[in-house]
Amino acid sequence: MKPFNHDIGGYAFLGLLVATAWAIPLAVFLHRDAHGSAMELPRCDEARSLDQVREALEEQGGQAVLGLFDATELRRGAIGDYRRCLAKVVTTAGEAHIGFAIGWHDRRNAIPFWTGDRLPPSPLDRANH
């Protein structure tokens, strides 16, 4: 039978120290996006932003969204907590500019939200009211 090694406490401490030294950079790396930068909100002109806005506009009903383009950022929060955007939307009723915002629903888990203007009423809707 082998004798008990009395230096096991020293080895355990050294192992924990090494594990901690690896865990901190790993946690920072995992908290970053695919481009290696700190988590940022999606840009106004990113495909997923435009898809989210298009879905919301189409769910309002009444007008089919034929296109959504020329999305530009008007303003960004000082700490990167929101973006205000403007885009041109083409519907069956014509063209209009709409504003929308992107913010954090859950920043820790990098879950954004999108919110914005409704489509202006079509000429047919205005004539019926």
Side-chain angles (χ1 to χ4, degrees), residues 57-58 60-65 89-91 96 98 117-122:
L57 292 172
E58 287 179 346
Q60 292 175 5
Q63 300 178 48
V65 175
V89 63
V90 178
T91 66
I98 58 154
D117 297 341
R118 298 182 64 85
L119 285 172
S122 71

Side-chain angles (χ1 to χ4, degrees), residues 1-125:
M1 185 175 201
K2 291 186 177 184
F4 180 72
N5 187 347
H6 294 286
D7 292 331
I8 194 125
Y11 291 125
F13 176 75
L14 183 61
L16 287 173
L17 187 62
V18 169
T20 302
W22 279 94
I24 292 172
L26 181 62
V28 170
F29 174 76
L30 292 176
H31 186 65
R32 295 179 178 264
D33 67 6
H35 304 291
S37 61
M39 295 302 293
E40 288 187 17
L41 285 168
R43 292 186 327 267
C44 298
D45 61 351
E46 279 187 29
R48 78 172 168 165
S49 294
L50 297 176
D51 288 344
Q52 291 288 335
V53 172
R54 180 182 333 233
E55 277 182 36
L57 292 172
E58 287 179 346
E59 286 177 6
Q60 292 175 5
Q63 300 178 48
V65 175
L66 303 174
L68 185 63
F69 56 95
D70 288 342
T72 57
E73 184 174 299
L74 300 176
R75 187 174 26 181
R76 182 186 318 188
I79 60 172
D81 55 341
Y82 71 91
R83 294 180 193 267
R84 298 228 185 258
C85 312
L86 184 67
K88 185 181 287 187
V89 63
V90 178
T91 66
T92 52
E95 291 185 9
H97 284 89
I98 58 154
F100 64 96
I102 307 167
W104 287 117
H105 173 71
D106 182 353
R107 186 178 202 139
R108 181 180 175 114
N109 293 310
I111 301 172
F113 73 86
W114 290 263
T115 187
D117 297 341
R118 298 182 64 85
L119 285 172
S122 71
L124 291 175
D125 291 339

